[in-house]
Amino acid sequence: MNVPHFILPDLVGHCRFPLTYHPHGDAVAAASVKWLEAGCPELSPKARTALHGRQAGELTAYCYPTCAPERLRVVSDFMNYLFHLDNISDGMMGRGTEELADVVMNALWFPDRYVPTRCPGKAQPAKEVSAGKMAREYWTRCIQDAKPGPQARFKETFELFFEAVNQQAQDREAGIIPDLESYISVRRDTSGCKPVFDLIEYAMDIDLPEHVVTHPVIKALNEGANDLVTWSNDIFSYNVEQSRGDTHNMIAILMSLRGLDLQSAVDFVGDLCKQTIDAFIENRRNVPSFGAALDRDVALYVQGLQDWIAGSLHWSFMTERYFGKEGAQIKKHRVVRLLPRKTSGGGAPVQVKPSMDTCRTPHWSRAVAGLTIPETDHNTTVIVRSLFACIPIFALCALGLPSVLSLLGRNYSGIFTHY
């Protein structure tokens, strides 16, 4: 029986970065899971089982392998918490994600006490919900010895995470598939990579000055690591997401906008990931000197980004989040059998969200952050679904059939655009 499937790109083989695991990783991971379970009594038995299979603590141990055990525990707690937020926000609409963001950010801005807002339309309950309590608990521990720069950046990027999650929820509510340019921008925030990259500084007890953080090479390394983690995750998570009809995935968008079949879309994103790894290596070679006092800290930060690339790739086959208990085998043969689609009760029709010109694929596709985007092996014909589609009908009525047939023999580039 020919089971529908696709083949993963060999990203692990392409990435030659060494994989390192924190010596206290297992103990910290186990304690972190217990922390989340204790703080979220509302978790169902199914959610608790998934929590253990997720192995967020083990991911932390791969991505922060040399930090102090006490700091590893704080970061591990946040990683478990971040996955928990991702799970509970997946089914939310715009209003729900706004309320969740208010609860969590309240804890970060007022870590010493709960200060519910009384703003009209945003009033919070007198008793703090578990999501706020957990955020305050880990953040209170983090800021005891986190330096000012990482603290400020973490709050800023975590706010961006919630703004992007809210945008994703609004698109889901409206049945919209975003165009690629919009998707890439939003996905860099919904991934949660920005705040966890800020925690590299906390984990290594450093505080990079603003002129280092905003340097073009450092920004390129940060963005490259984010894109690799994000786009590879779109490949690894696609099967689970397509089974529940989730379109917030680059593969689904490529299939919708570019007319690619599944394997071509997977290969397309895989090539992007490989180019991103290569670009990261090149940018790492070009890191300038910021002076003897800062070069060590910069090297630690760049190493942290590299550890995230390697750690996330290998962990994706260890966690049960994407491939269940078959991760080790799929890592070897790279064949993923498609899960059946779950039925749902309808909803808004799916539509493409335009960003620049509804008649053309956005021109970002020629280059993203200096990467060359591979061309498809065939020309894609895009039929403009707009007022122009009605022109032949109007012409038929006004000119008569013979004249219309003559006109259609000509090449109307305004009606059919070839790529």
Side-chain angles (χ1 to χ4, degrees), residues 39-94:
C40 299
E42 70 276 10
L43 287 177
S44 67
K46 182 179 179 181
R48 292 178 187 275
T49 300
L51 171 63
H52 286 269
R54 193 177 302 140
Q55 299 190 38
E58 285 80 357
L59 171 62
T60 310
Y62 281 116
C63 297
Y64 307 83
T66 60
C67 68
E70 298 78 15
R71 298 195 179 214
L72 181 70
R73 171 60 194 278
V74 173
V75 180
S76 183
D77 286 354
F78 176 71
M79 289 291 290
N80 270 296
Y81 179 75
L82 185 61
F83 277 111
H84 175 60
L85 289 182
D86 182 60
N87 286 342
I88 63 178
S89 67
D90 262 349
M92 287 183 174
M93 298 306 180

Short mmCIF file of all heavy atoms in Angstrom, two decimals, residues 39-94:
data_model
loop_
_atom_site.label_atom_id
_atom_site.label_comp_id
_atom_site.label_asym_id
_atom_site.label_seq_id
_atom_site.Cartn_x
_atom_site.Cartn_y
_atom_site.Cartn_z
N GLY A 39 2.63 24.02 39.17
CA GLY A 39 2.07 25.36 38.98
C GLY A 39 0.85 25.41 38.11
O GLY A 39 0.18 26.45 38.04
N CYS A 40 0.55 24.32 37.42
CA CYS A 40 -0.61 24.28 36.52
C CYS A 40 -1.50 23.10 36.87
O CYS A 40 -1.55 22.10 36.13
CB CYS A 40 -0.16 24.19 35.06
SG CYS A 40 0.84 25.57 34.49
N PRO A 41 -2.19 23.17 37.99
CA PRO A 41 -3.04 22.04 38.41
C PRO A 41 -4.17 21.75 37.43
O PRO A 41 -4.76 20.67 37.47
CB PRO A 41 -3.59 22.50 39.77
CG PRO A 41 -3.50 23.99 39.74
CD PRO A 41 -2.28 24.30 38.94
N GLU A 42 -4.48 22.71 36.55
CA GLU A 42 -5.57 22.51 35.61
C GLU A 42 -5.19 21.63 34.42
O GLU A 42 -6.06 21.27 33.60
CB GLU A 42 -6.06 23.87 35.08
CG GLU A 42 -5.09 24.60 34.15
CD GLU A 42 -4.02 25.42 34.88
OE1 GLU A 42 -3.91 25.28 36.12
OE2 GLU A 42 -3.31 26.18 34.21
N LEU A 43 -3.92 21.24 34.31
CA LEU A 43 -3.49 20.40 33.20
C LEU A 43 -4.21 19.06 33.22
O LEU A 43 -4.31 18.40 34.26
CB LEU A 43 -1.98 20.16 33.26
CG LEU A 43 -1.05 21.32 32.89
CD1 LEU A 43 0.41 20.91 33.07
CD2 LEU A 43 -1.29 21.78 31.46
N SER A 44 -4.67 18.64 32.06
CA SER A 44 -5.33 17.34 31.94
C SER A 44 -4.30 16.23 31.96
O SER A 44 -3.10 16.48 31.73
CB SER A 44 -6.12 17.29 30.64
OG SER A 44 -5.24 17.32 29.53
N PRO A 45 -4.70 14.98 32.22
CA PRO A 45 -3.75 13.86 32.15
C PRO A 45 -3.04 13.77 30.80
O PRO A 45 -1.85 13.47 30.73
CB PRO A 45 -4.64 12.63 32.41
CG PRO A 45 -5.77 13.16 33.23
CD PRO A 45 -6.03 14.55 32.71
N LYS A 46 -3.77 14.05 29.71
CA LYS A 46 -3.16 14.02 28.38
C LYS A 46 -2.09 15.10 28.25
O LYS A 46 -1.01 14.86 27.70
CB LYS A 46 -4.24 14.22 27.32
CG LYS A 46 -3.71 14.16 25.90
CD LYS A 46 -4.85 14.34 24.89
CE LYS A 46 -4.32 14.31 23.46
NZ LYS A 46 -5.43 14.50 22.46
N ALA A 47 -2.38 16.29 28.78
CA ALA A 47 -1.42 17.39 28.71
C ALA A 47 -0.18 17.08 29.55
O ALA A 47 0.95 17.44 29.17
CB ALA A 47 -2.06 18.69 29.16
N ARG A 48 -0.36 16.41 30.67
CA ARG A 48 0.78 16.05 31.51
C ARG A 48 1.67 15.02 30.84
O ARG A 48 2.90 15.08 30.92
CB ARG A 48 0.29 15.55 32.87
CG ARG A 48 -0.37 16.63 33.71
CD ARG A 48 -0.90 16.11 35.03
NE ARG A 48 -1.67 17.15 35.71
CZ ARG A 48 -1.13 18.09 36.48
NH1 ARG A 48 0.18 18.08 36.70
NH2 ARG A 48 -1.88 19.01 37.05
N THR A 49 1.05 14.08 30.16
CA THR A 49 1.83 13.09 29.41
C THR A 49 2.63 13.77 28.30
O THR A 49 3.81 13.48 28.08
CB THR A 49 0.90 12.02 28.80
OG1 THR A 49 0.19 11.36 29.86
CG2 THR A 49 1.70 10.99 28.01
N ALA A 50 1.97 14.71 27.58
CA ALA A 50 2.66 15.44 26.51
C ALA A 50 3.79 16.28 27.06
O ALA A 50 4.84 16.43 26.41
CB ALA A 50 1.65 16.32 25.77
N LEU A 51 3.62 16.82 28.26
CA LEU A 51 4.66 17.64 28.89
C LEU A 51 5.94 16.84 29.08
O LEU A 51 7.04 17.33 28.80
CB LEU A 51 4.14 18.16 30.23
CG LEU A 51 5.14 18.87 31.15
CD1 LEU A 51 5.67 20.14 30.48
CD2 LEU A 51 4.48 19.24 32.48
N HIS A 52 5.82 15.61 29.52
CA HIS A 52 7.00 14.77 29.71
C HIS A 52 7.63 14.36 28.38
O HIS A 52 8.85 14.30 28.25
CB HIS A 52 6.63 13.53 30.52
CG HIS A 52 6.39 13.80 31.98
ND1 HIS A 52 7.38 13.73 32.93
CD2 HIS A 52 5.26 14.18 32.63
CE1 HIS A 52 6.88 14.03 34.13
NE2 HIS A 52 5.59 14.32 33.97
N GLY A 53 6.79 14.09 27.38
CA GLY A 53 7.32 13.70 26.07
C GLY A 53 7.92 14.85 25.28
O GLY A 53 8.71 14.63 24.36
N ARG A 54 7.60 16.07 25.66
CA ARG A 54 8.09 17.25 24.94
C ARG A 54 9.59 17.43 25.12
O ARG A 54 10.29 17.88 24.23
CB ARG A 54 7.34 18.48 25.44
CG ARG A 54 7.52 19.72 24.60
CD ARG A 54 6.66 20.84 25.18
NE ARG A 54 5.26 20.44 25.22
CZ ARG A 54 4.42 20.71 26.22
NH1 ARG A 54 4.84 21.38 27.28
NH2 ARG A 54 3.17 20.32 26.16
N GLN A 55 10.10 17.16 26.32
CA GLN A 55 11.53 17.25 26.64
C GLN A 55 12.10 18.66 26.42
O GLN A 55 13.17 18.83 25.85
CB GLN A 55 12.33 16.22 25.82
CG GLN A 55 11.92 14.78 26.10
CD GLN A 55 12.85 13.77 25.47
OE1 GLN A 55 14.06 13.97 25.45
NE2 GLN A 55 12.29 12.68 24.97
N ALA A 56 11.36 19.65 26.89
CA ALA A 56 11.83 21.04 26.78
C ALA A 56 13.08 21.26 27.62
O ALA A 56 13.96 22.04 27.24
CB ALA A 56 10.73 22.00 27.20
N GLY A 57 13.16 20.60 28.76
CA GLY A 57 14.35 20.73 29.60
C GLY A 57 15.59 20.17 28.92
O GLY A 57 16.69 20.73 29.05
N GLU A 58 15.42 19.08 28.19
CA GLU A 58 16.55 18.51 27.46
C GLU A 58 16.99 19.44 26.33
O GLU A 58 18.19 19.57 26.05
CB GLU A 58 16.16 17.13 26.90
CG GLU A 58 16.10 16.03 27.94
CD GLU A 58 14.81 16.02 28.76
OE1 GLU A 58 13.96 16.93 28.56
OE2 GLU A 58 14.63 15.12 29.60
N LEU A 59 16.02 20.08 25.66
CA LEU A 59 16.38 21.08 24.64
C LEU A 59 17.22 22.18 25.26
O LEU A 59 18.22 22.61 24.68
CB LEU A 59 15.10 21.67 24.03
CG LEU A 59 15.28 22.87 23.10
CD1 LEU A 59 16.11 22.50 21.88
CD2 LEU A 59 13.92 23.44 22.67
N THR A 60 16.84 22.63 26.45
CA THR A 60 17.59 23.67 27.14
C THR A 60 19.01 23.22 27.43
O THR A 60 19.96 23.99 27.28
CB THR A 60 16.88 24.05 28.46
OG1 THR A 60 15.51 24.30 28.20
CG2 THR A 60 17.51 25.29 29.07
N ALA A 61 19.16 21.98 27.82
CA ALA A 61 20.49 21.45 28.15
C ALA A 61 21.39 21.38 26.92
O ALA A 61 22.61 21.51 27.03
CB ALA A 61 20.36 20.08 28.79
N TYR A 62 20.80 21.20 25.74
CA TYR A 62 21.59 21.20 24.50
C TYR A 62 21.94 22.62 24.06
O TYR A 62 23.00 22.84 23.47
CB TYR A 62 20.81 20.52 23.37
CG TYR A 62 20.85 19.01 23.43
CD1 TYR A 62 19.70 18.27 23.64
CD2 TYR A 62 22.05 18.31 23.25
CE1 TYR A 62 19.72 16.88 23.68
CE2 TYR A 62 22.09 16.93 23.29
CZ TYR A 62 20.93 16.22 23.51
OH TYR A 62 20.97 14.85 23.57
N CYS A 63 21.05 23.56 24.34
CA CYS A 63 21.24 24.91 23.84
C CYS A 63 22.01 25.83 24.79
O CYS A 63 22.51 26.88 24.37
CB CYS A 63 19.88 25.54 23.53
SG CYS A 63 18.96 24.69 22.22
N TYR A 64 22.12 25.45 26.06
CA TYR A 64 22.87 26.23 27.05
C TYR A 64 23.78 25.26 27.82
O TYR A 64 23.66 25.11 29.04
CB TYR A 64 21.91 26.95 28.01
CG TYR A 64 20.87 27.79 27.33
CD1 TYR A 64 19.69 27.22 26.84
CD2 TYR A 64 21.04 29.16 27.17
CE1 TYR A 64 18.72 27.99 26.22
CE2 TYR A 64 20.08 29.95 26.55
CZ TYR A 64 18.93 29.35 26.07
OH TYR A 64 17.96 30.13 25.44
N PRO A 65 24.70 24.60 27.13
CA PRO A 65 25.41 23.46 27.73
C PRO A 65 26.52 23.81 28.71
O PRO A 65 27.04 22.92 29.39
CB PRO A 65 26.00 22.74 26.51
CG PRO A 65 26.22 23.83 25.51
CD PRO A 65 25.08 24.80 25.72
N THR A 66 26.88 25.08 28.82
CA THR A 66 28.04 25.42 29.68
C THR A 66 27.71 26.42 30.78
O THR A 66 28.61 26.89 31.47
CB THR A 66 29.19 25.99 28.82
OG1 THR A 66 28.75 27.16 28.14
CG2 THR A 66 29.67 24.96 27.80
N CYS A 67 26.44 26.75 30.96
CA CYS A 67 26.10 27.76 31.97
C CYS A 67 26.05 27.12 33.36
O CYS A 67 26.07 25.89 33.51
CB CYS A 67 24.78 28.43 31.65
SG CYS A 67 23.33 27.36 31.79
N ALA A 68 25.94 27.95 34.38
CA ALA A 68 25.81 27.46 35.75
C ALA A 68 24.50 26.69 35.91
O ALA A 68 23.48 27.07 35.32
CB ALA A 68 25.85 28.63 36.74
N PRO A 69 24.48 25.60 36.69
CA PRO A 69 23.26 24.80 36.84
C PRO A 69 22.06 25.61 37.33
O PRO A 69 20.93 25.37 36.90
CB PRO A 69 23.66 23.73 37.87
CG PRO A 69 25.15 23.64 37.77
CD PRO A 69 25.63 25.01 37.43
N GLU A 70 22.31 26.57 38.21
CA GLU A 70 21.20 27.38 38.73
C GLU A 70 20.55 28.20 37.62
O GLU A 70 19.31 28.36 37.58
CB GLU A 70 21.70 28.32 39.84
CG GLU A 70 22.27 27.61 41.06
CD GLU A 70 23.69 27.09 40.83
OE1 GLU A 70 24.34 27.52 39.82
OE2 GLU A 70 24.16 26.24 41.62
N ARG A 71 21.35 28.71 36.72
CA ARG A 71 20.80 29.50 35.60
C ARG A 71 20.16 28.59 34.56
O ARG A 71 19.18 28.97 33.93
CB ARG A 71 21.89 30.38 34.99
CG ARG A 71 22.45 31.38 36.00
CD ARG A 71 23.25 32.49 35.36
NE ARG A 71 23.73 33.41 36.38
CZ ARG A 71 23.86 34.72 36.22
NH1 ARG A 71 23.56 35.27 35.06
NH2 ARG A 71 24.30 35.48 37.20
N LEU A 72 20.73 27.41 34.39
CA LEU A 72 20.11 26.44 33.48
C LEU A 72 18.69 26.14 33.94
O LEU A 72 17.78 26.02 33.12
CB LEU A 72 20.93 25.16 33.43
CG LEU A 72 20.38 24.07 32.50
CD1 LEU A 72 20.52 24.49 31.04
CD2 LEU A 72 21.09 22.73 32.74
N ARG A 73 18.50 26.04 35.25
CA ARG A 73 17.17 25.74 35.78
C ARG A 73 16.18 26.86 35.46
O ARG A 73 15.03 26.61 35.06
CB ARG A 73 17.26 25.51 37.29
CG ARG A 73 15.92 25.39 37.99
CD ARG A 73 15.08 24.21 37.46
NE ARG A 73 13.70 24.34 37.92
CZ ARG A 73 13.26 23.96 39.13
NH1 ARG A 73 14.10 23.43 40.01
NH2 ARG A 73 11.99 24.11 39.45
N VAL A 74 16.58 28.10 35.60
CA VAL A 74 15.70 29.23 35.29
C VAL A 74 15.33 29.21 33.81
O VAL A 74 14.15 29.39 33.44
CB VAL A 74 16.36 30.57 35.67
CG1 VAL A 74 15.51 31.74 35.18
CG2 VAL A 74 16.58 30.66 37.18
N VAL A 75 16.32 29.01 32.95
CA VAL A 75 16.05 28.99 31.51
C VAL A 75 15.18 27.79 31.16
O VAL A 75 14.26 27.89 30.33
CB VAL A 75 17.37 28.96 30.71
CG1 VAL A 75 17.08 28.94 29.22
CG2 VAL A 75 18.24 30.16 31.05
N SER A 76 15.43 26.65 31.79
CA SER A 76 14.63 25.45 31.53
C SER A 76 13.18 25.67 31.93
O SER A 76 12.26 25.24 31.22
CB SER A 76 15.22 24.26 32.29
OG SER A 76 14.52 23.07 32.00
N ASP A 77 12.97 26.34 33.06
CA ASP A 77 11.61 26.64 33.47
C ASP A 77 10.91 27.53 32.44
O ASP A 77 9.73 27.32 32.12
CB ASP A 77 11.61 27.33 34.84
CG ASP A 77 11.92 26.36 35.97
OD1 ASP A 77 12.01 25.14 35.72
OD2 ASP A 77 12.08 26.83 37.11
N PHE A 78 11.63 28.50 31.92
CA PHE A 78 11.03 29.36 30.91
C PHE A 78 10.71 28.58 29.64
O PHE A 78 9.66 28.78 29.01
CB PHE A 78 11.93 30.55 30.56
CG PHE A 78 11.36 31.40 29.45
CD1 PHE A 78 10.24 32.19 29.67
CD2 PHE A 78 11.91 31.37 28.18
CE1 PHE A 78 9.68 32.94 28.65
CE2 PHE A 78 11.36 32.12 27.15
CZ PHE A 78 10.24 32.91 27.38
N MET A 79 11.60 27.68 29.24
CA MET A 79 11.36 26.89 28.03
C MET A 79 10.11 26.04 28.19
O MET A 79 9.26 25.97 27.28
CB MET A 79 12.57 26.01 27.73
CG MET A 79 13.79 26.79 27.26
SD MET A 79 13.56 27.50 25.60
CE MET A 79 13.60 26.00 24.64
N ASN A 80 9.96 25.37 29.32
CA ASN A 80 8.74 24.60 29.56
C ASN A 80 7.52 25.51 29.56
O ASN A 80 6.47 25.16 29.00
CB ASN A 80 8.85 23.86 30.90
CG ASN A 80 9.46 22.48 30.76
OD1 ASN A 80 8.90 21.60 30.11
ND2 ASN A 80 10.63 22.29 31.36
N TYR A 81 7.67 26.66 30.16
CA TYR A 81 6.58 27.61 30.24
C TYR A 81 6.21 28.14 28.84
O TYR A 81 5.03 28.28 28.51
CB TYR A 81 6.98 28.77 31.15
CG TYR A 81 5.94 29.86 31.29
CD1 TYR A 81 4.80 29.66 32.07
CD2 TYR A 81 6.11 31.09 30.66
CE1 TYR A 81 3.85 30.68 32.21
CE2 TYR A 81 5.18 32.10 30.80
CZ TYR A 81 4.04 31.88 31.57
OH TYR A 81 3.11 32.88 31.70
N LEU A 82 7.22 28.41 28.01
CA LEU A 82 6.98 28.93 26.66
C LEU A 82 6.22 27.91 25.82
O LEU A 82 5.28 28.26 25.09
CB LEU A 82 8.31 29.28 25.99
CG LEU A 82 8.23 29.95 24.61
CD1 LEU A 82 7.50 31.28 24.70
CD2 LEU A 82 9.63 30.15 24.03
N PHE A 83 6.60 26.64 25.90
CA PHE A 83 5.86 25.61 25.18
C PHE A 83 4.43 25.50 25.71
O PHE A 83 3.49 25.26 24.94
CB PHE A 83 6.56 24.25 25.31
CG PHE A 83 7.69 24.06 24.33
CD1 PHE A 83 9.01 24.01 24.76
CD2 PHE A 83 7.43 23.91 22.97
CE1 PHE A 83 10.04 23.82 23.86
CE2 PHE A 83 8.46 23.72 22.06
CZ PHE A 83 9.77 23.68 22.51
N HIS A 84 4.28 25.68 27.00
CA HIS A 84 2.94 25.67 27.60
C HIS A 84 2.10 26.81 27.04
O HIS A 84 0.93 26.61 26.67
CB HIS A 84 3.06 25.79 29.13
CG HIS A 84 1.76 25.90 29.84
ND1 HIS A 84 0.79 24.91 29.78
CD2 HIS A 84 1.25 26.89 30.63
CE1 HIS A 84 -0.26 25.28 30.51
NE2 HIS A 84 -0.01 26.47 31.03
N LEU A 85 2.68 28.00 26.94
CA LEU A 85 1.96 29.13 26.36
C LEU A 85 1.59 28.86 24.90
O LEU A 85 0.49 29.19 24.44
CB LEU A 85 2.81 30.41 26.43
CG LEU A 85 3.04 31.05 27.80
CD1 LEU A 85 3.87 32.31 27.64
CD2 LEU A 85 1.72 31.37 28.49
N ASP A 86 2.51 28.25 24.17
CA ASP A 86 2.26 27.94 22.77
C ASP A 86 1.08 26.98 22.64
O ASP A 86 0.22 27.15 21.76
CB ASP A 86 3.51 27.32 22.15
CG ASP A 86 3.34 27.02 20.66
OD1 ASP A 86 3.09 27.97 19.90
OD2 ASP A 86 3.45 25.85 20.29
N ASN A 87 1.01 26.01 23.53
CA ASN A 87 -0.08 25.04 23.47
C ASN A 87 -1.42 25.68 23.78
O ASN A 87 -2.42 25.43 23.09
CB ASN A 87 0.19 23.89 24.44
CG ASN A 87 1.28 22.95 23.93
OD1 ASN A 87 1.60 22.94 22.76
ND2 ASN A 87 1.84 22.17 24.83
N ILE A 88 -1.47 26.50 24.83
CA ILE A 88 -2.77 27.05 25.22
C ILE A 88 -3.22 28.18 24.29
O ILE A 88 -4.40 28.49 24.22
CB ILE A 88 -2.75 27.54 26.68
CG1 ILE A 88 -1.75 28.69 26.88
CG2 ILE A 88 -2.47 26.40 27.63
CD1 ILE A 88 -1.74 29.24 28.31
N SER A 89 -2.28 28.78 23.56
CA SER A 89 -2.67 29.87 22.64
C SER A 89 -3.02 29.35 21.26
O SER A 89 -3.61 30.08 20.46
CB SER A 89 -1.53 30.89 22.52
OG SER A 89 -0.40 30.33 21.87
N ASP A 90 -2.70 28.07 20.96
CA ASP A 90 -2.92 27.54 19.62
C ASP A 90 -4.38 27.62 19.18
O ASP A 90 -4.68 27.91 18.04
CB ASP A 90 -2.45 26.08 19.54
CG ASP A 90 -1.06 25.97 18.93
OD1 ASP A 90 -0.58 26.98 18.41
OD2 ASP A 90 -0.46 24.88 18.99
N GLY A 91 -5.30 27.35 20.10
CA GLY A 91 -6.70 27.37 19.72
C GLY A 91 -7.39 28.68 20.00
O GLY A 91 -8.60 28.81 19.80
N MET A 92 -6.65 29.68 20.47
CA MET A 92 -7.26 30.95 20.85
C MET A 92 -7.50 31.86 19.66
O MET A 92 -6.77 31.82 18.67
CB MET A 92 -6.36 31.70 21.85
CG MET A 92 -6.33 31.13 23.24
SD MET A 92 -5.30 32.15 24.34
CE MET A 92 -5.60 31.33 25.91
N MET A 93 -8.52 32.69 19.78
CA MET A 93 -8.75 33.76 18.82
C MET A 93 -8.09 35.04 19.36
O MET A 93 -7.48 35.03 20.43
CB MET A 93 -10.25 33.95 18.58
CG MET A 93 -10.91 32.72 17.99
SD MET A 93 -10.09 32.14 16.47
CE MET A 93 -11.08 30.72 16.03
N GLY A 94 -8.23 36.13 18.63
CA GLY A 94 -7.51 37.35 18.97
C GLY A 94 -7.72 37.83 20.40
O GLY A 94 -6.78 38.19 21.10
#
